[in-house]
Amino acid sequence: MKPFKLGGFEVYFLEDARFRLDGGAMFGVVPKPLWSRVAEADAQNRIPLTIRPMLVRAGERWVLIETGMDDKQGEKHRKIYGIEGAGRLLEQLRALGLSPGDVDLVINTHLHFDHAGLNTVSRDGRIVPLFTNARYLVQKQELYDATHVHERNRASYLPENVEPVAEAGLFEEVEGEVEVLPGLTLVPLPGHTLGQQGVVLRSDGRTLVYTADLMPTLAHAPLAYIMAYDLYPVTTLEVRKAYYPAWAEEGAYLATPHDPGAPLGRLVRDERGYRAEPLSP
Ligand SMILES: [Zn+2]
């Protein structure tokens, strides 16, 4: 696997599980005749998605953004979401000569099971953190919400992905925008959840944004293409309006977590509004 170079950073676009979610829920108020032009639904109206963790070599450090999905939840969970290939992240790290112990920083954009599944693994009947030498960076608000669930978010926050990491003292809670390494900044992107964060890499005048679920796939770039899963959809809209002009103007690379086709895209604006074009890294 060859890295994508962004100035001094080496970026690896990994791909963990493929899965399926309801197409209507994925596109919110957008009617099916519109969204079905960009995503093909199966007999259960589900569209194909993937989870794409991003690995960054920053100087001597290895930074992993998102941990993908795990198999801890078993067959029923796998069936509901059509999950295939959970845990492929580990093979991809191995192919790069890395073991989980080599990862220095894990960045959890938020703690939903499709993003934070391999925060932990099952070993000898116990659930334990996987990245034992890493600090797991998460927004304080997100960790609070993941540990104080309600009926509307309970299906997404699974305690087994969160509690063992907290008990081991591996979470490092951050608040607001924080440059954690030179050129690597955590940026709050609320809307999908209140405590969601994205990651911005800047080097040699180039910018790459890991969008988290502010833009789950490139097809979600248009301002109103907001998931019904978002807890605060109007906040999603406001955050998009705050960042899109700069991202389009500087030609920022956008890495989305769930695009089934391309790991990278770029925002373009025309007379009909914003859309994203796929790029091959
Ligand atoms: Zn997601």
Side-chain angles (χ1 to χ4, degrees):
M1 199 185 310
K2 273 228 183 126
F4 173 78
K5 298 226 177 180
L6 186 94
F9 294 112
E10 291 183 356
V11 182
Y12 297 87
F13 301 104
L14 309 182
E15 191 177 355
D16 195 60
R18 297 199 150 245
F19 65 114
R20 292 175 169 271
L21 290 175
D22 184 85
M26 279 304 290
F27 286 97
V29 297
V30 179
K32 189 170 181 182
L34 286 182
W35 66 251
S36 60
R37 292 184 200 160
V38 289
E40 196 180 333
D42 67 12
Q44 293 172 64
N45 207 43
R46 300 176 307 177
I47 61 166
L49 297 163
T50 186
I51 176 69
R52 298 181 178 277
M54 194 172 96
L55 181 71
V56 181
R57 180 72 166 162
E60 295 294 298
R61 314 277 191 98
W62 286 106
V63 182
L64 179 65
I65 302 162
E66 314 287 41
T67 62
M69 289 207 222
D70 190 31
D71 239 355
K72 291 187 288 292
Q73 289 77 29
E75 179 63 24
K76 186 178 168 204
H77 181 84
R78 213 179 301 140
K79 265 213 169 122
I80 293 172
Y81 298 105
I83 300 170
E84 286 169 42
R88 280 175 55 208
L89 170 67
L90 290 172
E91 292 159 35
Q92 293 170 17
L93 290 178
R94 215 173 300 133
L96 290 167
L98 297 174
S99 71
D102 295 321
V103 174
D104 300 290
L105 289 177
V106 168
I107 296 172
N108 286 139
T109 66
H110 58 301
L111 292 167
H112 286 173
F113 71 81
D114 52 327
H115 295 251
L118 279 165
N119 275 9
T120 62
V121 284
S122 179
R123 291 255 160 85
D124 307 321
R126 287 181 60 223
I127 296 182
V128 295
L130 176 60
F131 300 96
T132 47
N133 295 322
R135 291 179 291 142
Y136 289 63
L137 303 181
V138 67
Q139 290 283 327
K140 183 176 184 154
Q141 177 75 51
E142 182 65 18
L143 186 55
Y144 180 87
D145 289 341
T147 49
H148 297 77
V149 296
H150 51 63
E151 291 77 3
R152 178 67 168 74
N153 63 14
R154 161 172 302 155
S156 301
Y157 287 128
L158 306 182
E160 60 266 34
N161 294 330
V162 178
E163 282 168 6
V165 180
E167 280 158 20
L170 296 180
F171 276 125
E172 183 172 323
E173 295 172 63
V174 298
E175 282 185 90
E177 188 167 318
V178 185
E179 187 173 21
V180 288
L181 293 171
L184 190 156
T185 305
L186 306 179
V187 179
L189 299 176
H192 181 60
T193 68
L194 203 51
Q196 180 177 247
Q197 61 185 351
V199 184
V200 178
L201 302 180
R202 284 184 211 282
S203 187
D204 281 356
R206 293 200 296 160
T207 303
L208 187 153
V209 181
Y210 191 87
T211 64
D213 279 342
L214 179 72
M215 191 190 292
T217 76
L218 295 175
H220 286 82
L223 285 170
Y225 281 42
I226 294 171
M227 293 188 282
Y229 295 109
D230 285 15
L231 290 171
Y232 307 93
V234 176
T235 304
T236 297
L237 178 64
E238 287 166 354
V239 172
R240 287 177 171 189
K241 283 181 163 174
Y243 283 107
Y244 273 16
W247 292 349
E249 180 148 340
E250 63 189 317
Y253 295 103
L254 302 181
T256 69
H258 295 306
D259 197 280
L264 210 54
R266 194 173 264 166
L267 208 52
V268 273
R269 184 176 197 174
D270 59 25
E271 64 286 350
R272 291 162 63 204
Y274 288 102
R275 62 195 163 78
E277 279 175 351
L279 293 174
S280 47

